[in-house]
Amino acid sequence: MDRVTGLPGLPHLQRLLSAHGVTAAGWSEANQQGFSGARIYRNADRSGVPFVIKVTAADTDWIMRATGDRRCREAVLAEAGGIGGGPVTSPAIGAARDGDVCSILMHDIGDQLLPNAPLTAGQLDVVLRAVSGLHALTPPVTADVPWCSVRDRVTLFLPDERKLAGFRIADDILRGWELFFQYAPGDVGDLVRALFDDTGPLEAALGELPDSLLHGDLKLDNIGLRPDGGLSLIDWSMPLIAPAAVDLGWFLAMNSRVLPVPVPAALAAYTSCCTIERGLHERHESLTVLCGLLIRGWRKALDAAAGEPGELRWWCERAAAAATLL
């Protein structure tokens, strides 16, 4: 059962709540913390409109620590007005800072979030079109956001015990990469090791593609389907300015088991509706696969060890072909 709290010791948060007509009393803390360690609270205003508060800090949030985020990107975006309008929005409406603790106030879109279940073809089409619309936006150049770097994003799950210390799935990641280097063809294993050591060649190859505004963590848990057909995305903890291949690689690798079509078909569907010029489509798709493998290859190896080697084989074959671009 959720715990009820009055959020003591956070005066700036209490002022933020007051400014939006929301009481500081009676907030229910969800039993399950955010994936990286953030605390989640729920309440409603006087008229019954539901809100969520995400409370986090660099000392307790694994993703913030792992990506060098000392200022809390998500709070900075919320303070700047978030992402509003167009095919993709953020439900964040403000943020408060009390010492090292950052609190992000959001509309509660829990009823819009996709369940961790197979997508329908229609849902996939909505998601891909809306995400391509986000990627088509001109990246903001004036916002003082400490954007996540490409290196920090694609090496987030680097097989490093010290980096992964305290992360709830650290053992799975380490075991997965151990299996990956056993199962993957030697040239692909060498490629992944080399890019973990130095992402420069990948970043140079990506540099031939247009930069986009990326969400950074496009998994189903973070995607809400708005009634108007757009998306509302939560958990902007790793936004970055980079080519769409970084976002899409994670989306496909993370959600491959719930897609209604094979990964190559989903990749082609995105490409067909994106604004990347046609002459760059092959580069975009190849680097999408390479980014996805760097972030999620460990999971594909665990699946292979469990008797499902098909995906690992496909990702490795496509990554080997992409190596010619580096």
Side-chain angles (χ1 to χ4, degrees):
M1 180 178 294
D2 291 352
R3 294 174 288 171
V4 178
T5 179
L7 302 172
L10 300 173
H12 289 91
L13 171 57
Q14 292 177 16
R15 284 196 284 273
L16 173 67
L17 294 174
S18 178
H20 289 276
V22 186
T23 178
W27 285 83
S28 298
E29 182 181 357
N31 286 330
Q32 183 175 2
Q33 294 183 346
F35 190 70
S36 65
R39 295 184 177 276
I40 308 298
Y41 301 85
R42 289 184 170 85
N43 203 352
D45 65 11
R46 299 179 185 89
S47 61
V49 176
F51 290 88
V52 167
I53 298 173
K54 178 179 180 179
V55 180
T56 192
D59 290 341
T60 58
D61 188 303
W62 182 81
I63 286 179
M64 289 181 66
R65 293 201 311 274
T67 62
D69 182 13
R70 302 300 305 180
R71 292 176 53 207
C72 189
R73 304 179 186 101
E74 194 166 7
V76 174
L77 278 176
E79 290 165 338
I83 306 296
V88 171
T89 56
S90 163
I93 57 176
R97 297 173 185 273
D98 291 280
D100 294 331
V101 177
C102 296
S103 305
I104 299 97
L105 178 64
M106 299 172 272
H107 291 293
D108 188 345
I109 62 163
D111 60 341
Q112 298 177 16
L113 294 176
L114 289 167
N116 195 9
L119 292 173
T120 67
Q123 288 173 329
L124 178 62
D125 182 66
V126 168
V127 170
L128 292 178
R129 290 184 180 279
V131 168
S132 70
L134 171 68
H135 294 163
L137 296 177
T138 301
V141 294
T142 56
D144 183 25
V145 179
W147 303 106
C148 184
S149 69
V150 169
R151 173 169 177 78
D152 283 337
R153 185 63 191 95
V154 299
T155 64
L156 182 67
F157 299 136
L158 181 80
D160 182 324
E161 291 186 18
R162 289 178 298 176
K163 179 178 181 178
L164 293 170
F167 191 41
R168 56 204 265 187
I169 59 170
D171 289 344
D172 287 342
I173 294 171
L174 292 170
R175 176 57 178 160
W177 282 121
E178 181 182 345
L179 291 168
F180 177 87
F181 293 117
Q182 291 178 24
Y183 293 159
D187 59 336
V188 176
D190 291 343
L191 173 64
V192 169
R193 285 192 180 94
L195 290 175
F196 278 157
D197 289 339
D198 177 13
T199 57
L202 173 62
E203 294 181 64
L206 287 167
E208 299 296 319
L209 296 169
D211 278 341
S212 300
L213 172 61
L214 308 187
H215 174 267
D217 194 5
L218 291 173
K219 58 184 180 182
L220 296 195
D221 293 346
N222 294 336
I223 300 174
L225 298 184
R226 300 195 319 243
D228 65 359
L231 300 185
S232 187
L233 301 180
I234 62 172
D235 200 357
W236 292 77
S237 58
M238 293 182 287
L240 60 163
I241 305 299
V246 180
D247 237 2
L248 190 62
W250 168 248
F251 173 79
L252 295 174
M254 175 66 191
N255 303 307
S256 60
R257 285 179 168 271
V258 298
L259 297 177
V261 296
V263 171
L267 176 55
Y270 173 92
T271 303
S272 71
C273 65
C274 73
T275 58
I276 299 171
E277 62 180 81
R278 185 174 297 276
L280 294 173
H281 282 184
E282 183 176 350
R283 172 179 290 267
H284 157 73
E285 292 194 350
S286 295
L287 295 178
T288 292
V289 173
L290 190 50
C291 288
L293 187 66
L294 284 173
I295 306 172
R296 191 75 173 167
W298 61 272
R299 180 70 255 182
K300 306 309 173 188
L302 288 174
D303 292 341
E308 301 178 52
E311 259 211 80
L312 177 63
R313 184 181 306 116
W314 180 83
W315 287 89
C316 286
E317 289 173 353
R318 289 296 303 267
T324 60
L325 298 175
L326 305 181

